[in-house]
Amino acid sequence: MEQTRSGFSGKLGFVLAAAGSAVGLGNIWRFPYLAAKYGGGVFLLVYILLAVTFGFALMVAEIALGRKAQLSAVSAFSKLNRKFSFLGYLASIVPMIILPYYSVIGGWVTKYLVAFCTGNMSAAAQDGYFNNYISSTGEPILYFAVFLGLTALIVLLGVEKGIEKVSKIMMPVLVVLSLGVAVYSVCLPGALDGVIYYIKPDFSHFSVTTVLAAMGQLFYSMSLAMGVMITYGSYMKKDVNIESATRQISLFDTGIAFFSGLMIIPAVFSFSGGDQSALGQGPGLMFVTLPKVFETFPGGTVIGAVFFLLVLFAALTSSISLMETVVSIFIDKFGWKRKITCFAVLLGSVVLGLLSTLGYGVWAEVKIIGMQFLDFFDFISNSVIMPIVALITCIFVGYVIKPQTVIDEVETEGARFKSKKLFVVMIKYIAPIFIVLILISSVLNALGIMKI
Ligand code: PFF
């Protein structure tokens, strides 16, 4: 079992690979459309507050648990306390649900990259292009398969050779390019209102759904509550400082999300001539808006192509971590060979992913609780299972193995855990109470018993 556990070479390798997992479509595609939909500045504020408190505490806990147990999620929880092995299983379901539909969206990105590379930027910038594309059958399946196949190939090569190398080159380039596009978007005519909408909190937009959406997005974006950081922690060397690594990862993650919002939301204002209904369009926001931005660029085809290439890499580093997590669960649990496991996971993901891609096309009539497959998978993982996993993880760390276990792991080899107090208070009291309140009110909200 142990000989299959390869590792990261050092702190930079770990931070970049973990940031590679965290930074992905969640930041560039999901964050801007949620921020646009849930009130702009208020959403941003709630998100940042949650990130520096909740997100920080949970990420430290997960990485420390993984490094202490030296195992991936399922086995890690049962090693630390047999009664909690169910938590590992519950957490493991999440990446299994996310990977297939994530690859469908990765496929959309691949398609846009190809469109830009083949000189079809103007077509991609037309109204209706996105909807026509996702509701067709053959091409979305093809690009979904390409994306998923690439992911499987890199996972097959193993942690150090595959994941670390790709992350080290791509992540810094992504930061620079996002910054550049954000500056350009902000300068578009009419974009200033969008900047204000995005940055200035307007509390009349605040509701419990804002907080629930921000919390789900936080878990998703930081790859929390699904066993990913536990697995990555198990690959981390003992002399790497968990606290500062966590700070760097979350800064990176939140920074990219913030700039992505700045790339997209002001541009929506600019192109819609201030018509705010454009903000509520959901998952298509990035795909519809960015080609229009690039079309106004001098040399937009090239810049757009480079941009979608980087988004593709960001998405790949995340899907790699999703698949790696699922694969390592099976390897640790059943002692399967890496190759066979990769193949099995690939096959399962193809089946689930097909539901998501066809759900926007020929199966559009099929709905689960009023949602298409992709939206349903996204909802069930982010708004239901992840908050529950996060809640039980807090209880597990706060009251079963006790925060001291995590603190000891963070403080190995003489490191000092500076935010120890914040960590204990968050994990024992604030986070669990908060999650319970949010879950209850969102259920009541959904049932229409209470409108908040
Ligand atoms: N955090 C990734 C993103 O923001 O795109 C998505 C993700 C990766 C979610 C890995 C879950 C995961 F296990």
Side-chain angles (χ1 to χ4, degrees), residues 21-27 98 102 220-221 223 226 228 318 321-322:
S21 163
V23 176
L25 295 171
N27 307 61
I98 296 182
Y102 201 83
Y220 186 90
S221 186
S223 305
M226 56 191 103
V228 172
S318 300
S321 78
L322 281 164

Side-chain angles (χ1 to χ4, degrees), residues 76-271:
F77 281 112
S78 58
K79 180 172 175 184
L80 295 167
N81 186 314
R82 288 211 74 87
K83 284 198 199 118
F84 276 77
S85 37
F86 79 93
L87 184 54
Y89 288 106
L90 196 61
S92 315
I93 295 174
V94 179
M96 293 180 199
I97 299 177
I98 296 182
L99 175 64
Y101 86 77
Y102 201 83
S103 304
V104 170
I105 300 157
W108 297 350
V109 174
T110 317
K111 162 73 187 178
Y112 272 67
L113 170 62
V114 171
F116 272 75
C117 288
T118 49
N120 288 321
M121 174 178 67
S122 307
Q126 295 298 314
D127 290 331
Y129 180 87
F130 176 74
N131 282 332
N132 279 341
Y133 173 68
I134 62 166
S135 57
S136 61
T137 306
E139 271 201 27
I141 294 181
L142 176 76
Y143 285 109
F144 154 64
V146 168
F147 183 88
L148 193 61
L150 267 175
T151 305
L153 196 72
I154 304 177
V155 171
L156 204 60
L157 293 176
V159 171
E160 208 157 331
K161 268 186 263 149
I163 303 179
E164 203 175 318
K165 272 216 180 98
V166 179
S167 306
K168 265 187 186 159
I169 309 167
M170 289 300 162
M171 300 311 292
V173 187
L174 181 68
V175 177
V176 175
L177 202 75
S178 309
L179 204 72
V181 179
V183 169
Y184 181 83
S185 279
V186 167
C187 297
L188 287 168
L192 197 64
D193 286 340
V195 178
I196 294 171
Y197 175 80
Y198 180 48
I199 289 182
K200 196 169 158 223
D202 171 354
F203 289 95
S204 66
H205 290 303
F206 182 84
S207 74
V208 164
T209 9
T210 316
V211 186
L212 184 71
M215 195 169 71
Q217 172 60 16
L218 179 72
F219 297 148
Y220 186 90
S221 186
M222 290 176 78
S223 305
L224 294 172
M226 56 191 103
V228 172
M229 287 300 157
I230 300 184
T231 304
Y232 272 38
S234 76
Y235 296 139
M236 188 195 216
K237 291 215 162 68
K238 287 281 180 194
D239 60 355
V240 175
N241 184 317
I242 295 181
E243 186 180 18
S244 75
T246 300
R247 288 222 185 283
Q248 287 166 7
I249 298 163
S250 37
L251 189 72
F252 214 49
D253 188 61
T254 311
I256 297 267
F258 177 74
F259 288 126
S260 301
L262 215 48
M263 281 192 292
I264 293 170
I265 296 176
V268 174
F269 273 74
S270 172
F271 292 116

